[in-house]
Amino acid sequence: MELTVYLAGEIHSNWREELKEKAKSLKLPLHFVGPMENHDRSDFIGEEILGEQPNAIFRDEAASRINNFRTQILMQKSDIVIALFGEKYKQWNTAMDASAAITLGKPLIIIRPENLHHPLKELSNKANVTVETVNQAFKVLAYIFDEK
């Protein structure tokens, strides 16, 4: 059984690579997908596809539609969603993706530091599992395949 895991959350750190390497080292049958990690490509995909836009608002709108389309397709095809809420960056997209996962009925693991407990309490209450570290989230994934 291979599972597809959508990795929602900030794209500025290597947390996705950490998870992928752990899965690879244990030979877990996991396939990972997620948002476009090239920030510039994500921001300018609307103009890349549709051509130059009249201003920054239209550029953002065009990119948003295409990025949301990509996210919707990949999330719908996923078996599990992991949403990382870090401390350094604003987390609007992560919250939106976690909410979408809940709406789609996707099993959801939220990773958030303890100091974000209060602002994320309702979202955490709707998730299947909430943990504080990437390693804890990985252990939850690995447990799916534990036959001991």
Side-chain angles (χ1 to χ4, degrees):
M1 165 179 70
E2 179 175 283
L3 298 176
T4 298
V5 182
Y6 187 91
L7 300 175
E10 57 93 356
I11 62 171
H12 304 288
S13 69
N14 70 342
W15 73 275
R16 286 178 179 82
E17 290 309 313
E18 181 183 339
L19 241 165
K20 291 173 187 178
E21 286 302 316
K22 287 175 184 281
K24 186 177 177 180
S25 73
L26 290 181
K27 297 183 175 137
L28 296 181
L30 296 170
H31 173 70
F32 296 96
V33 296
M36 171 54 63
E37 293 181 55
N38 179 327
H39 198 183
D40 285 341
R41 180 126 202 261
S42 174
D43 282 351
F44 294 102
I45 191 65
E47 287 191 324
E48 182 181 316
I49 293 172
L50 302 172
E52 187 176 344
Q53 299 298 302
N55 60 44
I57 291 173
F58 283 90
R59 182 174 53 244
D60 285 349
E61 291 296 320
S64 293
R65 283 191 295 279
I66 294 166
N67 283 317
N68 284 336
F69 178 79
R70 182 180 192 277
T71 297
Q72 183 178 358
I73 298 298
L74 292 176
M75 193 176 291
Q76 284 178 343
K77 292 188 171 292
S78 296
D79 300 297
I80 300 165
V81 175
I82 296 178
L84 175 113
F85 289 88
E87 298 185 52
K88 187 173 181 183
Y89 300 99
K90 300 219 177 356
Q91 306 294 312
W92 299 303
N93 286 346
T94 308
M96 183 179 70
D97 287 350
S99 295
I102 292 165
T103 300
L104 291 169
K106 299 291 179 178
L108 173 64
I109 300 170
I110 290 178
I111 306 169
R112 57 110 184 100
E114 184 179 352
N115 67 330
L116 292 180
H117 167 79
H118 182 74
L120 293 172
K121 65 186 178 302
E122 283 81 11
L123 198 54
S124 286
N125 189 267
K126 299 265 185 190
N128 296 88
V129 179
T130 298
V131 297
E132 293 182 4
T133 69
V134 171
N135 192 50
Q136 289 172 335
F138 174 74
K139 288 179 179 180
V140 173
L141 286 178
Y143 183 68
I144 294 169
F145 300 98
D146 193 348
E147 296 177 5
K148 297 175 190 171

